[in-house]
Amino acid sequence: MQGVPDQFTDERDRASFRQLPHLPGVELYHAHIAQHSFEPHTHEAFGIGAVETGAERFRYRGVQHIASANSLLTMNPDELHTGKAITDDGWRYRMIYLEPALLEQVTGKQNWWFDGVERHDPQRALRVSQLINSLWYYDDPLAQQSILLELIEAFLPYARHSPVSRSSAAPRFDRVRDYLHDNYARSLTLDEIARVASLSPYHFLRQFKAHFHVTPHQMLMAIRLWRAKLFLAQGMPAATVAAATGLTDQSHLTRAFMRRYGITPVRYQKQVAGAAVRNLVQEPLSLLPYTPSLLTRGDK
């Protein structure tokens, strides 16, 4: 891409994504980050992973956290978060992103959520990291499906399966978030969004930040970049993706994508688009049966 670097500014930084043809609803991520700072971004999926070396500081639900080596990470969908190294050599970590519908179908359990985001659990973190790595390199469908079940079993003790209690302000701001999802492709104003919440712009901005711990613009950009990932995975040209997600041009898309995901849109597309296209001709999620004997027995 002319005028746009295809890699981090620091040669120590690197990130790779992979999607699996036989496991739609799964995305793998492996990175080593020393210098790059991730701006607020979101995933419409559960993010499960482990820090292998080093340590990072990140903001999640308005609170600063530190995840060091052997930490287990469990993030809920649609939660904006950041990330920055706090050790000289950065931090290396692996993540798997699992769509909620996939988890429900595979396990037979609903209302998945995690009440904590970081835990120092060396044994479980190592197991999660090893299984994510195995998924990355195995191409056999049966092997992938079996590894996924083992991975779910590994983090299952930290999962919750009851409806999340909601504050009285939640319905109002749920409407706002839905409005941003429905109108991400066009320009929006503070007055317009505040009217959705039936608040003045001043009170809306204060209450929105108190509720989501980010500004409306930060959330809108996170939604746009998440949509961009979906379009890129489907093979849509980057310039078209920029226009479809309300961004100024391809350069704007590239800068914003790099700041949030640590990789250029073109490189991300090269890594995952082939798998996404092949997903169209693969078997549906019923390939992943609910296996009570595996998911309900005690820890190994």
Side-chain angles (χ1 to χ4, degrees):
M1 191 188 311
Q2 185 176 6
V4 178
D6 198 32
Q7 57 187 13
F8 291 103
T9 56
D10 192 306
E11 63 181 11
R12 296 172 296 171
D13 292 350
R14 55 189 181 274
S16 298
F17 287 87
R18 189 182 180 201
Q19 294 181 356
L20 306 175
H22 305 293
L23 295 178
V26 173
E27 184 170 76
L28 306 177
Y29 177 68
H30 181 205
H32 177 270
I33 305 298
Q35 183 64 35
H36 188 75
S37 296
F38 292 96
E39 292 193 359
H41 62 283
T42 186
H43 306 276
E44 300 297 303
F46 289 96
I48 313 298
V51 178
E52 297 177 334
T53 62
E56 68 154 328
R57 177 183 288 113
F58 64 100
R59 189 172 181 84
Y60 179 87
R61 291 182 178 172
V63 177
Q64 293 285 350
H65 299 268
I66 292 178
S68 57
N70 302 316
S71 291
L72 181 69
L73 302 173
T74 53
M75 294 184 172
N76 293 315
D78 208 25
E79 293 282 0
L80 280 92
H81 53 280
T82 61
K84 180 178 177 60
I86 58 172
T87 49
D88 291 340
D89 293 330
W91 86 103
R92 188 177 72 230
Y93 62 114
R94 298 181 189 273
M95 299 290 295
I96 182 170
Y97 298 102
L98 301 169
E99 292 184 4
L102 176 97
L103 268 179
E104 291 183 4
Q105 183 165 348
V106 171
T107 64
K109 296 177 181 291
Q110 296 183 332
N111 301 315
W112 279 80
W113 60 283
F114 296 95
D115 56 6
V117 66
E118 184 276 330
R119 301 168 178 86
H120 187 72
D121 188 338
Q123 184 176 0
R124 204 174 299 274
L126 176 61
R127 182 63 175 156
V128 165
S129 181
Q130 290 173 335
L131 289 168
I132 294 174
N133 187 58
S134 295
L135 270 178
W136 191 286
Y137 290 106
Y138 270 96
D139 292 323
D140 179 74
L142 180 58
Q144 290 180 351
Q145 293 155 14
S146 300
I147 293 168
L148 179 61
L149 289 174
E150 290 188 63
L151 180 58
I152 294 172
E153 182 186 18
F155 63 75
L156 187 62
Y158 289 125
R160 303 291 179 264
H161 305 288
S162 58
V164 181
S165 60
R166 300 161 65 83
S167 69
S168 59
R172 169 178 288 175
F173 288 102
D174 283 350
R175 291 197 302 271
V176 174
R177 183 167 55 189
D178 291 344
Y179 191 82
L180 294 178
H181 274 281
D182 292 340
N183 296 275
Y184 67 88
R186 64 181 184 86
S187 297
L188 299 172
T189 66
L190 181 60
D191 288 346
E192 177 184 353
I193 304 172
R195 285 195 296 270
V196 177
S198 300
L199 292 170
S200 69
Y202 174 74
H203 288 94
F204 166 75
L205 188 59
R206 290 186 61 191
Q207 292 188 34
F208 186 97
K209 291 180 67 176
H211 188 78
F212 290 117
H213 314 296
V214 292
T215 67
H217 180 258
Q218 286 175 319
M219 177 172 283
L220 177 61
M221 287 300 295
I223 293 170
R224 285 173 169 172
L225 272 296
W226 168 70
R227 290 283 181 177
K229 283 182 65 180
L230 297 182
F231 292 146
L232 290 164
Q234 294 167 4
M236 184 182 292
T240 306
V241 171
T245 53
L247 301 177
T248 307
D249 51 28
Q250 185 173 341
S251 295
H252 186 192
L253 169 66
T254 299
R255 292 192 301 271
F257 204 91
M258 274 288 296
R259 289 195 296 265
R260 287 160 180 83
Y261 299 117
I263 190 172
T264 66
V266 171
R267 178 165 289 187
Y268 174 79
Q269 187 172 61
K270 289 178 180 177
Q271 291 177 356
V272 306
V277 171
R278 290 192 298 271
N279 279 342
L280 299 176
V281 297
Q282 298 297 332
E283 295 294 332
L285 290 179
S286 58
L287 276 175
L288 299 171
Y290 169 38
T291 312
S293 61
L294 175 62
L295 296 175
T296 57
R297 67 173 185 254
D299 293 346
K300 291 182 177 179

